[in-house]
Amino acid sequence: MIQENCRIVDHSQLAPRYFKIVFSSDHIAKTARPGQFVNIRVSNELTPLLRRPLSIHQSDPEKGTFTLLYETIGYGTELLSKKLVGSELNILGPLGNGFEVVNDIALLVAGGMGIAPLGFLAREAIKSKKDVYCFIGAKNEGLVLCEEGLKSLGAKVTVATEDGSRGEKGLVTHSLEKFLKDFRLTIDGKRLTIYACGPRPMLKAVAAIAAQNNFECRVSMEAYLACGIGACKGCAVDTIEGYRMVCKDGPVFDAKGIKWE
Amino acid sequence: MGIEIAGIKMKNPVMVASGTFGFGEEYSELYDLNRLGAIVTKSVTLLPREGNPPPRIVETPAGMLNSIGLQNDGLKVFLEKHLPYLSKFTVPVIVNVAGETLDEYVDVVKALSKENRVDGIELNISCPNVKKGCMAFGIDPKLTEELVKAAKKASKKPIIVKLSPNVTDITVIAKAAEKAGADALSLINTIMGMAIDIKTKKPKLAMITGGLSGPAIKPIAVRMVWQVAQAVKVPVIGIGGIMTAEDAYEFMLAGASAVQVGTANFVDIESPLKIIEGLKKYI
Ligand SMILES: Cc1cc2nc3c(=O)[nH]c(=O)nc-3n(C[C@H](O)[C@H](O)[C@H](O)COP(=O)(O)OP(=O)(O)OC[C@H]3O[C@@H](n4cnc5c(N)ncnc54)[C@H](O)[C@@H]3O)c2cc1C
Ligand SMILES: Cc1cc2nc3c(=O)[nH]c(=O)nc-3n(C[C@H](O)[C@H](O)[C@H](O)COP(=O)(O)O)c2cc1C
Ligand code: FES
């Protein structure tokens, strides 16, 4: 973990409200693990005051760069989207526990911007010779991210859009459920873990599907953060073991442990 | 830069404020804690506290609301884990204490008094985010006096009393604390506030109200420090929205002998260090 000024080396728009930004930082690029995030000071003014957390989408230890994907949803992310290549932002990271790839089969489920941390996980899982299946859910074709990239890495990709403009029509959780029906019979003894990131209702649905099928499931949770390092107790998520901190104990949690209601 | 407050010797007059720095563990990965004037710990209560349901924080213009609800591991874990960790450093440790009843405060104060590594105790009689106790003491001069007297009787350690801004006249409480033997006063704790999401028409915090901190509260804090500094003889520690050395110096001009930095720790990990460095220009 380090706090430092990082230079923007690339910044581009992927869809009306989706952006990709690349920063240079040797430390973060070398130490980041999938599922971890950085906390960015998007402005030196007093509003917005707090940093904004974004997941690490990719890191390149050789080049000393790391990439984030983000959606503009409010003041902080709007400000970020206007930052120019060459300028510097103050970044704290890498933070959080990250995903652990243990089993033979990794089944990744992304809802919207949820692809951000899962892209990094897919790459690492493939590197360590796991079978990787990706389910990408989006509102429409224009908002489907990373499909080609993941395919070229060797992941098996299923896309679901709510309006049916690409891939299967409907919610990504529906595609997942359909897929598992047959697939679970073919994995003969291999162990499988589901990793999910996206809006809370989607995570809840994925957790239920995993539980029905008796698969392990890890979810990346969100909360408002203040300190980002576990000191302020502001980012509580309710679990069966009591309140846990999204920034330090998470953002990745065992789906079984989350109190979804 | 060195000062002595309530008998606690500090390298510089810049401390980190309770609840924004945990017990120092997280921040110690980022810089040498010995550079600070003192560390004020998260509030310690007799028994562990789970804290309030989420959402617990929300950002507001130039500030934030929090309703953490004093989540902490309780006295036992503090003594077994957090205090030994802090013993690795030489920086003065001021333990912030909260409770629901007078006896709870006294029990914690007594236990802390036996610890060499505890340099001072800050009584939090000003947390707005718990149903029982705490701020109930800090808005009533009689209860304040009783509590401070009991704490002084229970301990030889310096006692700092942390005041609430959520009162009509803060000098009345300040004088009550001084009369009861407080060695110093610190102020302000957070100001009760509220924010509503106009889309969902619901409060943004699960507890509905929370405590406002950050630059937004600085003018109120400076005013209260100025009022209290004139009303009492004991040293006053200024807290509230301090982001820069200039902010800290402003509090000193208002009568504060030292300052605590809170919310700024979230914005820039190094802000206390930058404030210490920057203050050299002024004092
Ligand atoms: C660990 C972690 C990793 C994240 N990774 C990514 C990522 O990779 N890409 C990405 O696009 N986003 C990510 N997010 C979410 C991102 O941090 C928020 O979208 C961002 O902070 C919003 O800031 P803003 O100033 O633009 O919006 P604000 O003006 O703060 O908020 C706009 C609206 O969004 C709501 N909102 C904002 N933040 C949150 C939140 N954390 N939870 C629930 N509701 C919220 C607010 O209530 C408000 O209605 C992550 C969040 C966390 C906690
Ligand atoms: C997240 C958070 C948690 C806090 N917890 C405590 C606490 O446990 N005990 C206490 O006395 N004050 C607590 N405070 C109050 C601060 O110590 C300080 O008095 C207040 O935030 C004003 O200073 P600031 O504007 O510099 O943050 C907390 C403040 C914040 C923001
Ligand atoms: S944001 Fe402070 S503990 Fe998580």
Side-chain angles (χ1 to χ4, degrees):
Chain A
M1 177 186 14
I2 195 173
Q3 176 184 294
E4 63 175 3
N5 291 331
C6 300
R7 188 174 302 282
I8 303 173
V9 294
D10 198 9
H11 198 176
S12 57
Q13 189 159 9
L14 307 174
R17 287 163 58 208
Y18 284 3
F19 293 81
K20 175 174 144 178
I21 190 164
V22 185
F23 287 98
S24 88
S25 162
D26 269 330
H27 177 82
I28 296 174
K30 287 204 171 76
T31 56
R33 286 176 283 112
Q36 287 191 303
F37 66 97
V38 292
N39 218 3
I40 306 182
R41 194 168 175 197
V42 294
S43 143
N44 289 327
E45 305 299 318
L46 298 180
T47 307
L49 184 65
L50 300 173
R51 290 166 181 269
R52 294 295 189 264
L54 295 174
S55 303
I56 299 166
H57 175 63
Q58 203 173 321
S59 88
D60 189 332
E62 260 105 72
K63 279 202 210 136
T65 62
F66 66 93
T67 304
L68 314 173
L69 294 184
Y70 67 94
E71 178 178 7
T72 51
I73 68 158
Y75 194 46
T77 45
E78 287 290 350
L79 274 177
L80 179 61
S81 72
K82 302 206 165 65
K83 300 291 174 191
L84 301 176
V85 170
S87 57
E88 287 187 351
L89 289 178
N90 192 267
I91 296 187
L92 177 63
L95 305 173
N97 59 355
F99 292 108
E100 242 177 283
V101 197
V102 278
N103 289 336
D104 312 318
I105 305 171
L107 216 152
L108 280 44
V109 191
M113 226 349 123
I115 193 70
L118 294 179
F120 192 177
L121 175 65
R123 207 164 282 113
E124 293 300 308
I126 286 166
K127 251 195 232 159
S128 53
K129 305 269 186 288
K130 312 285 180 190
D131 285 342
V132 177
Y133 295 81
C134 294
F135 291 80
I136 304 175
K139 285 222 158 57
N140 58 55
E141 179 169 26
L143 301 180
V144 176
L145 300 178
C146 306
E147 184 184 355
E148 292 314 315
L150 289 171
K151 276 184 182 157
S152 66
L153 284 171
K156 285 144 212 124
V157 180
T158 305
V159 171
T161 52
E162 286 173 33
D163 66 356
S165 52
R166 182 157 190 94
E168 300 179 5
K169 182 172 183 314
L171 296 176
V172 67
T173 44
H174 189 236
S175 298
L176 171 70
E177 219 169 359
K178 238 176 37 197
F179 171 81
L180 283 176
K181 247 189 213 131
D182 300 328
F183 184 67
R184 62 188 312 251
L185 304 173
T186 67
I187 57 179
D188 40 62
K190 282 197 197 163
R191 308 222 319 150
L192 178 159
T193 308
I194 299 177
Y195 301 90
C197 184
R200 193 170 165 120
M202 181 205 107
L203 297 182
K204 186 180 164 189
V206 173
I209 294 168
Q212 273 157 28
N213 288 283
N214 234 337
F215 292 139
E216 281 179 48
C217 180
R218 302 277 183 279
V219 289
S220 180
M221 304 292 290
E222 278 191 19
Y224 283 117
L225 306 189
C227 72
I229 59 177
C232 76
K233 311 298 173 202
C235 59
V237 56
D238 202 4
T239 77
I240 53 177
E241 291 168 331
Y243 293 124
R244 289 291 175 272
M245 296 305 126
V246 164
C247 71
K248 181 95 186 274
D249 307 316
V252 178
F253 292 91
D254 187 335
K256 280 199 300 288
I258 302 289
K259 283 195 189 163
W260 292 103
E261 296 317 321
Chain B
M1 287 286 270
I3 55 153
E4 188 173 323
I5 286 213
I8 307 167
K9 285 201 181 68
M10 301 180 196
K11 228 186 240 176
N12 61 66
V14 181
M15 306 168 232
V16 285
S18 178
T20 62
F21 209 76
F23 298 96
E25 274 137 81
E26 294 82 11
Y27 289 92
S28 71
E29 274 187 54
L30 291 146
Y31 64 81
D32 179 5
L33 302 186
N34 290 335
R35 293 167 70 184
L36 298 168
I39 291 176
V40 185
T41 69
K42 172 75 189 165
S43 283
V44 175
T45 51
L46 185 59
L47 299 174
R49 284 184 66 101
E50 267 243 283
N52 289 331
R56 292 176 175 184
I57 49 179
V58 59
E59 192 177 285
T60 55
M64 62 179 282
L65 289 167
N66 88 78
S67 68
I68 310 295
L70 299 181
Q71 174 174 343
N72 79 100
D73 298 330
L75 176 65
K76 188 161 175 281
V77 177
F78 173 74
L79 293 176
E80 282 167 5
K81 186 179 148 213
H82 301 305
L83 193 59
Y85 185 83
L86 284 167
S87 301
K88 294 203 247 169
F89 304 90
T90 54
V91 62
V93 172
I94 296 170
V95 183
N96 182 294
V97 175
E100 291 187 359
T101 64
L102 188 137
D103 289 343
E104 262 180 56
Y105 277 98
V106 169
D107 284 351
V108 179
V109 167
K110 262 192 195 142
L112 293 174
S113 303
K114 297 194 196 104
E115 301 291 332
N116 278 332
R117 192 58 187 92
V118 175
D119 298 284
I121 292 170
E122 182 177 67
L123 293 180
N124 175 3
I125 55 166
S126 42
C127 178
N129 299 318
V130 290
K131 284 207 189 82
K132 280 186 269 173
C134 218
M135 195 173 86
F137 288 96
I139 58 174
D140 182 329
K142 261 192 76 186
L143 294 180
T144 298
E145 201 180 322
E146 267 170 41
L147 178 64
V148 177
K149 257 192 193 141
K152 280 301 290 180
K153 219 177 110 194
S155 176
K156 289 206 173 61
K157 304 269 187 200
I159 302 272
I160 300 166
V161 180
K162 184 165 178 182
L163 303 182
S164 171
N166 303 302
V167 292
T168 322
D169 183 354
I170 195 167
T171 62
V172 174
I173 312 287
K175 283 188 223 156
E178 182 184 47
K179 189 173 152 208
D183 298 290
L185 304 177
S186 58
L187 61 147
I188 56 177
N189 206 319
T190 55
I191 301 172
M192 265 249 254
M194 178 169 168
I196 301 170
D197 185 330
I198 60 166
K199 273 185 241 134
T200 61
K201 302 183 177 155
K202 296 219 170 81
K204 290 189 175 177
L205 294 173
M207 296 302 285
I208 303 177
T209 63
L212 184 63
S213 67
I217 71 169
K218 194 186 75 173
I220 298 173
V222 171
R223 183 261 295 179
M224 289 188 158
V225 164
W226 175 71
Q227 288 177 312
V228 169
Q230 293 176 71
V232 300
K233 295 201 178 59
V234 292
V236 173
I237 300 165
I239 323 169
I242 298 174
M243 307 291 289
T244 63
E246 286 67 31
D247 296 334
Y249 188 52
E250 191 179 344
F251 274 87
M252 290 177 178
L253 293 175
S257 312
V259 295
Q260 292 180 11
V261 177
T263 301
N265 290 304
F266 307 153
V267 179
D268 179 353
I269 296 273
E270 288 162 6
S271 40
L273 305 180
K274 289 177 184 164
I275 292 168
I276 293 164
E277 195 49 42
L279 269 179
K280 289 182 184 157
K281 251 199 302 200
Y282 300 99
I283 57 175

